[in-house]
Amino acid sequence: MVTETDTSCEEPGGVCPFAVADDIPIWLDVSMKRFEYVHPAGGNEFTSVKVTPSELEAVTGAEGWCDVCKGWEEDE
């Protein structure tokens, strides 16, 4: 099984979405859209940047949005 560490050299939860190799697709979780701002990792566990979900989508060149989280919706 290939893990995040194998493909990005980062531990899960601290994977920086910026300057990722072109052959690695970036997908964003739709659960982030409920926030005005998000703070994605900025290269290590101590660094992040403040962006809107739309800005994150634009600057990362994300493939799109997917739904991988459960239990975050208010009606669940």
Side-chain angles (χ1 to χ4, degrees), residues 20-76:
V20 175
D22 290 338
D23 62 335
I24 299 177
I26 297 174
W27 287 90
L28 304 174
D29 192 275
V30 70
S31 67
M32 291 192 295
K33 288 186 172 186
R34 72 185 191 270
F35 299 109
E36 183 177 1
Y37 295 100
V38 294
H39 298 265
N44 65 44
E45 68 265 32
F46 304 109
T47 308
S48 70
V49 294
K50 180 181 175 182
V51 295
T52 67
S54 295
E55 289 170 333
L56 181 62
E57 181 179 22
V59 299
T60 61
E63 298 286 324
W65 295 88
C66 60
D67 190 1
V68 296
C69 292
K70 291 185 179 184
W72 64 270
E73 294 172 321
E74 291 182 21
D75 60 347
E76 288 188 15

